[in-house]
Every structure is written in C-alpha cells, then in structure tokens.
Amino acid sequence: MKVFKTGTFVETYKVILPLLIIFAISTILLIYSINGLKDAFEKLESARVSLNIKSCIQKGIKLVFESSIESITPNVNSEIELIQLRVFSESGDYIGTWTMDSSIAKNFTFSISSVNINDKLRNRKVSVNGFAKVKLDIGKYGLRINLPIQTEVIVSGER
C-alpha cells in the first residue's frame, strides 16, 4: 500500500522547496542584521561626553562658566546637537538651567543668572549636570543619543 501518490509527492515538493529556500535566505539575512547591530552597540557602549569647566566666576547675581566639551566616540564620527545643563549649589539648591541647541563649538562660555546667587557661593563648589544630544554616524540614517554630563567646579570672585 502506497502512502503518497507520485503526483501528490511532487506537488508537495514544489511547495515545500521554495518555502525552505525563503526560510534559509531570511535566516541568513537575520543573522547578518543581528551581527551589524551587535557591532553598533559595542561602539555605543564606550560613547561619552566630557565637559571640562576651566573657570567659574561670580559677577553679582550671575555665574559665568568658561568650558570645553568633547564627545568621545571611538571609531564613530559624531556631532553634538544640543546641550542642557543644570547648576546646583554645594548644598543641593537649584541655581539655574542653560540650554544651547545651535552650532556648538568645542570651547564655549555660558552664564546663569539667578536671584539665589549670592556671596555665599564664592569659594564653594557648584555641581553642573545634564546631558548632551549626540548624533552618531552609525548605519544608514545615523543615531541620536542623549549622553549624561556631570562635573563640579569652585566659584571664584569677580575678575
């Protein structure tokens, strides 16, 4: 007794073979895509932003910061698109926020004015934290990622 007729087996073979080929091709493409993502995430793992505040000068109710910023992304071209910084006193009191979303130079000066700035801040630490939005040239369209920033500086008097 035959389980399959010859015609049925050939028709089943004609249907299953293209499906197996499509499955094999899609599996190969999936593995290729996953390896590409793995490489991209390994590059992103070491990405960071370094903010170096050279000086902080108090001028009345204004703090003026001279600083430099650098995005450290090994083997990936990057560009800083936006910076948002928050400044806190040594005791944790909020002083102010500064944002820049245009062309960002490596060396820049920013200032924060607030009525909470008084002589008590002179010769004390202030904490600057926030984030930088960095555009990375990864893949076809690139990737934008927010990287944290945190540093401290001692406030000096007016020059």
Side-chain angles (χ1 to χ4, degrees):
M1 181 170 146
K2 285 187 174 181
V3 177
F4 293 108
K5 292 183 182 177
T6 308
T8 309
F9 180 71
V10 171
E11 289 177 17
T12 306
Y13 182 72
K14 287 180 181 178
V15 172
I16 291 178
L17 183 63
L19 291 175
L20 287 174
I21 292 171
I22 291 171
F23 176 74
I25 291 172
S26 58
T27 302
I28 290 169
L29 291 175
L30 179 66
I31 291 170
Y32 180 74
S33 297
I34 289 173
N35 285 336
L37 282 174
K38 179 183 165 194
D39 292 341
F41 282 116
E42 284 175 356
K43 290 177 183 177
L44 288 177
E45 190 174 62
S46 60
R48 64 185 178 92
V49 173
S50 174
L51 176 69
N52 180 20
I53 298 180
K54 299 170 187 166
S55 68
C56 175
I57 302 162
Q58 182 177 353
K59 295 181 178 180
I61 62 167
K62 185 191 231 181
L63 291 177
V64 179
F65 298 85
E66 292 180 21
S67 56
S68 65
I69 192 162
E70 180 181 9
S71 67
I72 302 167
T73 52
N75 302 323
V76 178
N77 294 332
S78 63
E79 174 188 355
I80 298 174
E81 293 184 335
L82 175 126
I83 301 174
Q84 182 174 6
L85 301 173
R86 294 177 305 274
V87 180
F88 296 92
S89 68
E90 193 173 31
S91 61
D93 297 330
Y94 173 77
I95 296 173
T97 300
W98 179 82
T99 303
M100 183 171 199
D101 62 353
S102 59
S103 168
I104 298 166
K106 182 177 179 174
N107 296 312
F108 63 97
T109 301
F110 69 96
S111 63
I112 294 180
S113 298
S114 174
V115 294
N116 295 333
I117 298 173
N118 53 30
D119 289 336
K120 293 179 183 177
L121 283 179
R122 203 164 277 146
N123 298 322
R124 301 271 177 125
K125 283 185 187 177
V126 291
S127 173
V128 179
N129 60 34
F131 70 92
K133 181 174 277 194
V134 179
K135 180 181 178 187
L136 302 169
D137 291 333
I138 293 178
K140 187 175 181 180
Y141 301 106
L143 175 71
R144 288 176 174 81
I145 186 170
N146 292 341
L147 296 173
I149 298 173
Q150 186 167 2
T151 189
E152 290 183 342
V153 66
I154 295 177
V155 178
S156 63
E158 188 171 351
R159 285 196 263 184

